[in-house]
Amino acid sequence: MHIFLMLLINGLAEGALIFLMAAGLSIILGLLGVVNFTHGVLFIWGGYVSIWIFSMTGSFPIAIIAAVAAGALMGLVFERLFIRPVYGNVTAQILITLGLGVVFTDMARLFWGPNPIPASRPEFMDGTWVIDAVIISQYRIFLIVVGILVAIGINYLVNRTKVGMVMRAGIQSPEMVQALGINIKVYFAGVFAGGAALAALGGALYVPLVGSVWSGMGINNQILAFIVIILGGMGSFYGSAVGSIIIGLTVAFVSWFYPPLTVYTTVLLLLLVLTLKPEGLFGMAVRN
Amino acid sequence: MPLLTNILRKKPAFGPGTWLFLSLLAVFILIIPHITGLTTITLLSRIYILAIFGMSYDILRGYTGIINLGHALFFGGGTYIAGIMFSRMGATLDTLLLALLVSLAFAAVVAYIMGQFAFRGSGFTGVIACAMITLAFGEIGRHTAETLREYTQGADGLTFRVPLMFQDRMMMYYYALLFLIAMTLILRQFVNSPTGRVLQAIRDNDQRAKFLGYDTKKYKLIALVVAGMASAAAGIMFALLTRFANTELLTVQSTLNALLYTIVGGTGTLYGAIFGTAFVQLAQNYLLELRGIHEIFSRWLLFFGAIYVLVVLYMPKGLVGAYLQLRERWKARGRT
C-alpha cells in the first residue's frame, strides 16, 4: 500500500512533466497543423539554460523564467524562419524540424560539453514529507501542482478568452480571420512560441528531478510525448492530459518493478490502444 | 505543376556524349582501387554500401511518400545479426549465408509488424502518426541492442571477424561495387513494376489510389518490406566492410543519414541516392580534414543538420532534380 501510494505520486509527477511536452505538441498540432520534432531539443535547451542561469544567479525561479524565455525565443525564431515557409506541407515540416533538432542538439553539446552536468534541487523543495511511513518528495508534489496549473491555464486561455477564440476561429478558417482584420500570423507565431516555452519549462523542471542534464534526454521524452499524443488522440488537448497521466503512471510502476521493460510497455500500450481505437482515446479532427 | 514534375521525372535519353561519359566513369571506377590508397578504397566501398541504404529509403520517401523514422532498425539489424553470428558461430561463408537469410527474414517480419501499426491512418494525420510510430519502433530496437549486453556488448560496440574472402580491402571494393549494381537493378525493376507504379500513385494522391480500388495499406506494407530487406542486406555488407557494430547504427541519427542521402540526391529518382551518399560522405570527409584550421569543422552534425534544412527549404528536388531542371532549361533555350 505504501509503495502503491509512492508510485502513484511518482507517476503523477512523471505524467505532469510529460504533459508539459505533450500539451505544447498537441496545441501546435491541433491549431497550426504542424508536427514539431524540435520539441525534444527545446526540452534539452530548457534544461541546460536553467542549470546555466542557476549556477550564475543561484535562484531557482530566475533559472526557470530564463529557460521558458529561451524556449519561447527559439520557438519564435524557428516559426518565422523555418516553419512558416512550409505550412501545409507535413513532410517538409517533419524533415525541417528533424534537421533543426540535429543542429541544436549538437550546439548544446558544443556549448555545454558532451558529458552530463549534475544539477541540484532548489533547497526549499529538497525536503520530504513522511505521512504514515510513506515518503513523499516535495519536488514531485510541486511538479504535479505545476502540471495542474498549466492544464487549467491552457484550458482557460483557449476556451474562455478572446485570444483563445481567435485561435479556435483560426483553425476553422484562417482566411476569414485574416479578412476580419486580425493578423492570424501573429497568433500562429505566438502559439508556436508558447508550445516551445512549455517544452523548455518541462526540460527545466525535469533536470532537478533526475539530478543531471545531458543531450540525450530530449529524444526519450519526445518519444513519450509522441506516444501520449497518439494515445490521447491527435490534436485533442484533453486526450494529451489523460494520456500523460496514463503514460506517467505506467512508467512509474513498470520502472519500479522491472526497469528494462519500461520502454516496451509504453510502446505496447500505444499499440494496444491503436488496435482497439485507431483514432486514439479522444480522437477528433485535426486541421487538414 | 504536374506537367513540370512529369518533365522532371522523365528518364534522360542517353545521347552519345552521355555514353562516352558513362564509359569513362565505368573505367575510372574499375581502375580506381589500383591507383589510390587504402583510405579512398574504403571510403568508396562505404559509399557504395550506404547508397543502398539511401536507395531503400527512397523507395519509402521518394516512391511511396512514407517517412519512416525507424529505418535504421533494418540496416543496423543486418549489421548486428551478421556481427553476432560471426562472433558466435565462426567467420565462415556458411555463417554469412545464414546471417543473410536470418536478417532478411528479420527485416520482413519487423517491417510487416511495423507497417501494420504505422499505416493505419491516411492523409495528413496518417503521415504524422506513421513518423511517430516508426520512431518508437526504432527506439525499441536501439534500446534492445543496448540491453542485450551479452550479445551486443552494449554501448562499447561489437568487434568481429569476417570470412577470409572479405578481408582484402581491394576485393571488398569490388564486392561492394557488384552489390551496388545488383541492388540498383533489383530495386529499379521493383519501382518500374506494376506494384511500383501503384506506389507512385499512392505517393501522388493517397485517396485517389484508394478510390481507384487499390488497397493502399497493402501496397505500403510491400514497400516497407522491400525497403527493409534491401537495407538489411546493405547492413550485412556494412558489417563485412567495417567488422564492427555499435548502437549508433540503430539511432534516429542513422535513419536521418539515409534520409539525407535521399533528399540531397533527389527523391523519387533511385539513382539520386548514390549521388547523395557520395556527396554527403565526401563532404563529411573533407570537413573533417579541415579540422586543423578551426575546431568547428570537427562538429559534423552541425553541418549535417544545416545541409538538411537548406536542402529541404531550397533544393527540394535534390542534386539530380536540380540537374534535370537545368537541362530542361538549356534545351528550352536551344529550341527558341
Side-chain angles (χ1 to χ4, degrees):
Chain A
M1 193 58 209
H2 296 153
I3 287 175
F4 179 80
L5 194 62
M6 191 188 80
L7 290 180
L8 185 71
I9 288 169
N10 285 3
L12 289 176
E14 178 87 20
L17 277 175
I18 301 171
F19 174 70
L20 292 179
M21 281 273 268
L25 269 173
S26 173
I27 292 173
I28 291 174
L29 184 61
L31 295 182
L32 309 185
V34 169
V35 57
N36 181 21
F37 278 80
T38 62
H39 238 65
V41 100
L42 293 161
F43 187 83
I44 298 173
W45 275 71
Y48 274 114
V49 168
S50 74
I51 293 270
W52 184 45
I53 299 293
F54 187 73
S55 70
M56 289 200 304
T57 62
S59 159
F60 185 64
I62 292 180
I64 296 292
I65 291 169
V68 170
L73 185 68
M74 285 170 77
L76 275 180
V77 173
F78 287 175
E79 198 273 344
R80 184 68 196 85
L81 294 182
F82 303 108
I83 309 291
R84 203 170 284 184
V86 291
Y87 273 128
N89 182 350
V90 189
T91 313
Q93 287 163 9
I94 296 177
L95 296 179
I96 285 188
T97 50
L98 280 169
L100 284 176
V102 173
V103 171
F104 279 84
T105 308
D106 205 48
M107 261 211 250
R109 268 187 224 127
L110 184 65
F111 292 155
W112 289 291
N115 300 320
I117 300 175
S120 55
R121 266 170 227 185
E123 275 163 35
F124 66 96
M125 263 178 292
D126 207 14
T128 50
W129 288 306
V130 182
I131 303 167
D132 199 17
V134 183
I135 302 165
I136 296 168
S137 145
Q138 291 175 1
Y139 190 70
R140 289 184 197 272
I141 300 292
F142 167 72
L143 290 180
I144 296 172
V145 171
V146 170
I148 293 172
L149 286 179
V150 167
I152 293 173
I154 292 175
N155 191 32
Y156 180 80
L157 178 76
V158 174
N159 292 324
R160 296 268 182 279
T161 61
K162 181 127 190 288
V163 174
M165 199 174 74
V166 174
M167 274 156 49
R168 279 179 290 133
I171 309 173
Q172 301 285 331
S173 167
E175 293 83 7
M176 189 64 205
V177 175
Q178 190 78 37
L180 288 172
I182 297 165
N183 191 354
I184 194 72
K185 281 182 185 161
V186 174
Y187 282 83
F188 279 5
V191 167
F192 198 89
L198 281 179
L201 175 65
L205 294 177
Y206 178 77
V207 169
L209 182 72
V210 292
S212 64
V213 55
W214 72 103
S215 57
M217 71 183 196
I219 181 85
N220 300 333
N221 286 284
Q222 180 167 318
I223 287 174
L224 284 180
F226 281 163
I227 290 177
V228 162
I229 296 275
I230 304 177
L231 188 78
M234 261 193 267
S236 160
F237 178 69
Y238 298 107
S240 59
V242 175
S244 301
I245 295 173
I246 295 175
I247 292 295
L249 288 174
T250 310
V251 168
F253 276 82
V254 178
S255 64
W256 175 265
F257 291 109
Y258 194 61
L261 282 186
T262 315
V263 179
Y264 301 102
T265 317
T266 49
V267 175
L268 273 179
L269 194 65
L270 169 70
L271 299 185
L272 188 72
V273 170
L274 279 180
T275 312
L276 299 175
K277 209 164 179 302
E279 71 279 14
L281 295 175
F282 295 83
M284 61 176 210
V286 180
R287 186 181 150 203
N288 232 324
Chain B
M1 268 322 271
L3 185 72
L4 183 69
T5 45
N6 277 340
I7 291 169
L8 287 177
R9 259 181 227 124
K10 207 170 124 192
K11 270 184 238 70
F14 288 174
T18 322
W19 274 116
L20 185 69
F21 172 73
L22 284 179
S23 327
L24 283 177
L25 188 70
V27 171
F28 183 65
I29 283 173
L30 282 174
I31 61 164
I32 205 170
H34 298 277
I35 52 175
T36 53
L38 205 59
T39 334
T40 314
I41 297 177
T42 312
L43 176 66
L44 286 174
S45 316
R46 230 181 127 82
I47 291 174
Y48 297 158
I49 294 168
L50 290 175
I52 296 300
F53 187 29
M55 270 191 214
S56 76
Y57 209 112
D58 199 21
I59 302 244
L60 300 176
R61 164 82 181 90
Y63 283 91
T64 323
I66 299 168
I67 299 220
N68 172 5
L69 293 181
H71 202 54
L73 194 53
F74 306 117
F75 184 79
T79 311
Y80 261 110
I81 287 172
I84 291 169
M85 289 177 79
F86 282 144
S87 54
R88 300 245 150 186
M89 300 163 59
T92 61
L93 282 180
D94 293 343
T95 315
L96 175 63
L97 195 64
L98 194 62
L100 185 64
L101 291 176
V102 169
S103 44
L104 289 181
F106 164 83
V109 170
V110 170
Y112 184 78
I113 298 172
M114 197 189 222
Q116 281 296 341
F117 291 101
F119 302 145
R120 275 167 175 271
S122 64
F124 165 72
T125 48
V127 176
I128 298 175
C130 176
M132 291 176 176
I133 292 169
T134 49
L135 180 70
F137 266 90
E139 277 302 289
I140 282 196
R142 186 189 60 83
H143 184 76
T144 308
E146 258 166 30
T147 320
L148 291 178
R149 228 161 281 257
E150 197 194 327
Y151 295 93
T152 62
Q153 315 286 325
D156 301 334
L158 179 67
T159 317
F160 48 86
R161 297 171 62 81
V162 296
L164 201 60
M165 67 177 286
F166 295 99
Q167 285 178 8
D168 181 50
R169 288 286 167 196
M170 184 101 77
M171 286 317 287
M172 190 62 215
Y173 173 88
Y174 289 111
Y175 294 139
L177 184 60
L178 266 178
F179 176 70
L180 174 66
I181 294 169
M183 288 303 283
T184 308
L185 291 177
I186 293 173
L187 293 180
R188 185 168 165 258
Q189 197 68 35
F190 175 70
V191 295
N192 288 334
S193 71
T195 308
R197 301 280 177 205
V198 178
L199 295 181
Q200 292 170 49
I202 293 174
R203 171 198 63 196
D204 291 341
N205 193 332
D206 194 322
Q207 279 215 307
R208 189 171 58 197
K210 205 176 269 176
F211 290 153
L212 286 172
Y214 292 110
D215 182 353
T216 53
K217 189 180 163 191
K218 189 184 92 185
Y219 280 95
K220 285 180 185 174
L221 270 175
I222 293 173
L224 186 59
V225 168
V226 169
M229 286 169 79
S231 69
I236 298 245
M237 284 303 279
F238 198 69
L240 292 173
L241 178 72
T242 59
R243 303 158 200 180
F244 177 71
N246 66 356
T247 43
E248 274 297 296
L249 292 172
L250 293 166
T251 53
V252 189
Q253 184 58 43
S254 173
T255 300
L256 292 185
N257 286 339
L259 197 45
L260 185 67
Y261 302 150
T262 339
I263 59 175
V264 163
T267 47
T269 57
L270 212 55
Y271 308 100
I274 304 176
F275 295 108
T277 314
F279 177 83
V280 173
Q281 286 287 324
L282 293 175
Q284 182 172 9
N285 247 54
Y286 180 69
L287 286 174
L288 277 177
E289 276 170 21
L290 290 182
R291 130 187 79 170
I293 301 169
H294 193 283
E295 205 251 332
I296 191 80
F297 289 113
S298 63
R299 308 224 53 108
W300 162 241
L301 286 180
L302 281 183
F303 293 95
F304 173 93
I307 298 174
Y308 214 94
V309 173
L310 291 177
V311 168
V312 176
L313 275 181
Y314 300 111
M315 216 169 68
K317 295 211 173 291
L319 292 172
V320 170
Y323 166 74
L324 290 180
Q325 206 160 6
L326 275 179
R327 228 177 55 135
E328 283 303 319
R329 210 169 287 169
W330 288 333
K331 270 193 184 162
R333 195 170 293 168
R335 268 186 230 119
T336 50

